[in-house]
DNA sequence: TATTTTCTGAGGTACGTGCCTCATAAAATG
DNA sequence: CATTTTATGAGGCACGTACCTCAGAAAATA
């Protein structure tokens, strides 16, 4: 015979379907002793709720929201594409995804957006935002209102309720370090490290990992202090220029944030020597083109499609208070070079 | 209002539910004109079948089978683990997975196993086997019997009906080539290429890609002819020994097949110099340990968990004759070094 | 036109669960 | 013991689809 159903459960526990239902859905009106009897039966029969049937009966759709930064860059675009792809794929599974945007550097606006969500509109939310006190509070409120939360790409280490879906940024930094150490062969010289801001926790962690490996495996290289662009093209051009002027022996460049177009433009303007090793993050269209053309040596990638789907799975699991297949939700730190670049379109 | 249902369809097409049902499930007894009318309504309303409800009504489980080689090595073990993990995860989704085994080098036994499957026991099968005429024929028969097929890890290029779930092996070879070229710095010397057999298409493709990149980017290295172990430990020790004797200047070793324990043991016995770059395939426990210890520099990985889940998705989609989200089924060629190795357990 | 054959509609039951109401049994309270 | 409160059972409708039967309409054939 097939899987046990609620009926089998009722028989095994010696109670009625109504009571099974009350226990399963944590409704009140059941004596503790009975609750335990039902749970014993669940374990004994190895009962698992049929979620399809449950959702069908409830005729409920999962309403999920992704909160993303409001500025547009190629990485965000990739995420949006992955979300829209997931949305079509999940039409079959009673899941609707929407996106809201808030300025990344305005914690109060972000918190406002979060606070504005009601249980009627949203069952779960994936939040991509730097950790700040207002955001942390807003996340706690969500939890209190019974809305599931995951931290998406940027971790929220102090919001316990928010599972993190993203890569280990320190390990990512170490990986870049190892590639930099090996790709530069035996050469000596300076290594530039560029990012938009070192305020972001991600950048700090990446830098930490990178430095550790460089110190250990490539002491021949001088790793310079992080250069911050603040996302400003003019400033970017200027600091890159200054970096090249001050260091005629640049052997490598680490582009630490996920949008490399402005920085690479500035590097192009300076004319980096062909043997200079350049490594960045995220497989954006620009990165793709540059990998193909050879002006970029490798990028560290977090599989955006996987990030999105993983978030959705985690959110659903939290809503259904089911266990998650943990290993499935671990995001890989991927290394992409010209040779192993996926052909096109959204990543796997 | 929510998604359109069969009732909405019936109303829109001006027919009854019974007719809708006949059309949706391709039953007979509907005039061609009516069929077209229904299809038009489907398009117009953008109707998508609710698969959960359908399966619920049919009270049908998907029965899937993985056909794997009968010998045991760590890669196969990893696959088995991934399958069992998927199996628990998919309990919720009316999917049962079983595994059958057949000797990899006995095409007729494989074909027998395949022929032995009946529609009663199996709805779809993922086949990991070298392409041979008997297997190809057996696959055609499956198709005729209405059983969905995917080629798993090993492609079946001449079996049209079998979608392939696995990596592009030529690109994988190119990737190894690029890593080998860069990791060896400016050094000169010989490169050993070891595999179990060059009969396998996978090995041929990997070698092809590897050679192309080595010729282009590292002409300073002498890439030797492929050494075949035939899976025999004694022979492995002997040929590795011979390789080291004949080439005192070994700069790199490419372990082309997915089980590297025997070969690495033989290499250990010879005492490879520390700067010798060794690259293999698949993140088995042995590979993990060696990456951590430093005796292995990198492995090319196909995410086994992803392979398994992808196969399952493709099989289900074929059975339901639904479109697949193509990009989701593309398997990445991953590069794993010590720094970006996933912590433990089954891969993502 | 009469007859047969092929389509089509109407309506039912089922799948496993959620969620509701109503009645009754058991326990706790006065 | 009488009364109130709390637990529980019984039963039904709903979700969206599959699949069955039966009757009747339309089309094809004689």
């Amino acid at each position: 015979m097939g899987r046990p159903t609620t009926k089998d459960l009722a028989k095994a526990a010696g109670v009625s379907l109504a009571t099974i239902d009350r226990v399963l859905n944590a409704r009140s009106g059941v004596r503790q002793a009975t609750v335990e009897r039902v749970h014993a039966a669940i374990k004994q029969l190895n009962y698992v709720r049929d979620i399809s049937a449950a959702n069908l009966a409830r005729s409920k759709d999962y309403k999920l929201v992704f909160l993303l930064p409001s500025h547009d860059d190629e990485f965000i675009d990739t995420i949006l594409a992955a979300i829209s792809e997931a949305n079509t794929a999940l039409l079959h599974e009673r899941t609707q995804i929407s996106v809201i945007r808030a300025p990344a550097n305005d914690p109060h606006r972000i918190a406002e957006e979060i606070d504005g969500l009601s249980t009627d509109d949203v069952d779960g939310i994936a939040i991509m935002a730097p950790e700040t006190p207002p955001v942390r509070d807003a996340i706690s409120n969500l939890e209190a209102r019974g809305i599931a939360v995951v931290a998406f790409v940027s971790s929220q280490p102090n919001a316990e309720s928010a599972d993190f879906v993203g890569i280990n940024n320190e390990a990512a930094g170490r990986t870049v370090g190892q590639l930099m150490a090996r790709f530069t062969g035996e050469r000596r010289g300076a290594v530039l490290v560029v990012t938009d801001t070192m305020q972001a926790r991600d950048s700090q962690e990446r830098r930490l990992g990178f430095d550790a490996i460089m110190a250990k495996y490539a002491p021949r290289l001088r790793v310079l202090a992080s250069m911050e662009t603040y996302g400003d093209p003019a400033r970017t051009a200027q600091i890159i220029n200054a970096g090249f002027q001050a260091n005629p022996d640049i052997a490598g460049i680490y582009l630490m944030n996920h949008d490399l177009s402005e920085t690479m433009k500035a590097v192009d303007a300076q004319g980096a020597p062909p043997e200079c090793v350049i490594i960045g993050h995220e497989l954006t269209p620009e990165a793709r083109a540059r990998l193909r053309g050879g002006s970029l040596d490798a990028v560290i990638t977090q599989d955006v499609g996987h990030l999105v789907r993983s978030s959705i799975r985690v959110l659903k699991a939290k809503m259904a208070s089911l266990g998650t297949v943990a290993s499935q939700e671990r995001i890989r730190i991927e290394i992409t070079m010209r040779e192993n670049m996926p052909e096109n379109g959204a990543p796997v």
Side-chain angles (χ1 to χ4, degrees), chain A:
Chain A
M1 89 171 209
R3 293 171 44 180
T5 72
T6 38
K7 278 176 199 154
D8 304 322
L9 259 191
K11 211 182 297 169
V15 298
S16 75
L17 273 178
T19 302
I20 294 293
D21 176 59
R22 290 177 187 119
V23 174
L24 283 181
N25 298 291
R27 271 184 267 284
S28 63
V30 184
R31 229 175 317 158
Q32 191 52 35
T34 315
V35 172
E36 277 154 22
R37 206 139 41 90
V38 172
H39 279 134
I42 290 178
K43 259 186 205 137
Q44 189 205 320
L45 295 187
N46 193 23
Y47 168 83
V48 252
R49 227 197 186 84
D50 185 325
I51 305 177
S52 321
N55 290 338
L56 178 59
R58 193 186 278 128
S59 77
K60 157 191 177 148
D61 280 16
Y62 292 109
K63 288 183 207 134
L64 306 184
V65 171
F66 279 76
L67 173 59
L68 303 180
S70 53
H71 68 271
D72 273 310
D73 62 34
E74 287 193 333
F75 183 55
I76 308 281
D77 289 347
T78 316
I79 294 176
L80 288 171
I83 291 175
S84 115
E85 186 171 2
N87 215 353
T88 20
L90 293 177
L91 257 181
H92 307 287
E93 301 176 29
R94 336 187 132 267
T95 306
Q96 292 168 6
I97 311 173
S98 54
V99 175
I100 58 181
R101 312 286 292 264
N105 47 13
D106 187 343
H108 290 94
R109 284 286 304 285
I110 298 176
E112 265 173 42
E113 290 287 349
I114 297 177
D115 288 332
L117 299 173
S118 97
T119 320
D120 298 341
D121 313 321
V122 182
D123 302 299
I125 178 169
I127 297 178
M128 174 176 175
E131 193 199 22
T132 51
V135 171
R136 185 163 61 240
D137 293 348
I139 290 178
S140 310
N141 292 338
L142 279 178
E143 176 80 347
R145 274 176 284 161
I147 297 180
V149 187
V150 301
F152 181 72
V153 179
S154 300
S155 61
Q156 301 281 347
N158 293 308
E160 308 160 9
S161 61
D163 295 41
F164 174 51
V165 176
I167 58 173
N168 176 336
N169 280 306
E170 210 218 311
R174 283 202 300 272
T175 305
V176 175
Q178 187 65 256
L179 290 176
M180 184 66 77
R182 306 199 79 151
F183 282 9
T184 46
E186 299 300 323
R187 293 194 290 283
R188 303 176 161 278
V191 175
L192 301 189
V193 178
V194 190
T195 184
D196 45 1
T197 167
M198 285 302 287
Q199 302 286 340
R201 193 175 196 103
D202 304 354
S203 296
Q204 293 164 18
E205 292 172 351
R206 287 175 183 178
R207 174 86 214 206
L208 208 66
F210 183 71
D211 286 353
I213 293 291
M214 291 304 279
K216 186 163 174 194
Y217 293 100
R220 64 190 148 80
L221 295 172
R222 297 196 318 282
V223 185
L224 305 182
S226 307
M227 301 162 60
E228 299 176 272
T229 68
Y230 301 143
D232 174 4
R235 184 182 157 91
T236 305
Q238 184 241 308
I239 59 175
I240 293 290
N241 183 4
F244 270 80
Q245 297 309 319
N247 303 277
D249 61 343
I250 293 180
I253 307 178
Y254 176 17
L255 307 174
M256 214 153 57
N257 59 317
H258 56 240
D259 191 33
L260 46 73
S261 40
E262 282 307 326
T263 321
M264 283 302 292
K265 212 194 289 176
V267 169
D268 282 349
Q270 299 300 320
E275 71 275 11
C276 173
V277 175
I278 306 184
I279 303 178
H281 278 269
E282 309 311 342
L283 194 57
T284 57
E286 166 103 20
R288 238 170 228 290
R290 286 189 176 271
L291 282 173
R292 207 173 287 117
S295 58
L296 190 65
D297 293 274
V299 289
I300 298 303
T301 310
Q302 37 189 339
D303 182 328
V304 175
H306 192 179
L307 277 171
V308 169
R309 288 191 298 274
S310 187
S311 306
I312 294 170
R313 273 193 298 264
V314 172
L315 286 175
K316 282 190 178 177
K318 292 183 89 170
M319 284 154 33
S321 56
L322 287 168
T324 312
V325 182
S327 74
Q328 192 171 345
E329 314 310 341
R330 217 178 298 139
I331 305 297
R332 288 256 179 121
I333 299 169
E334 295 180 9
I335 302 167
T336 308
M337 306 188 304
R338 188 200 301 116
E339 282 71 23
N340 70 329
M341 186 162 55
E343 287 86 34
N344 64 64
V348 177

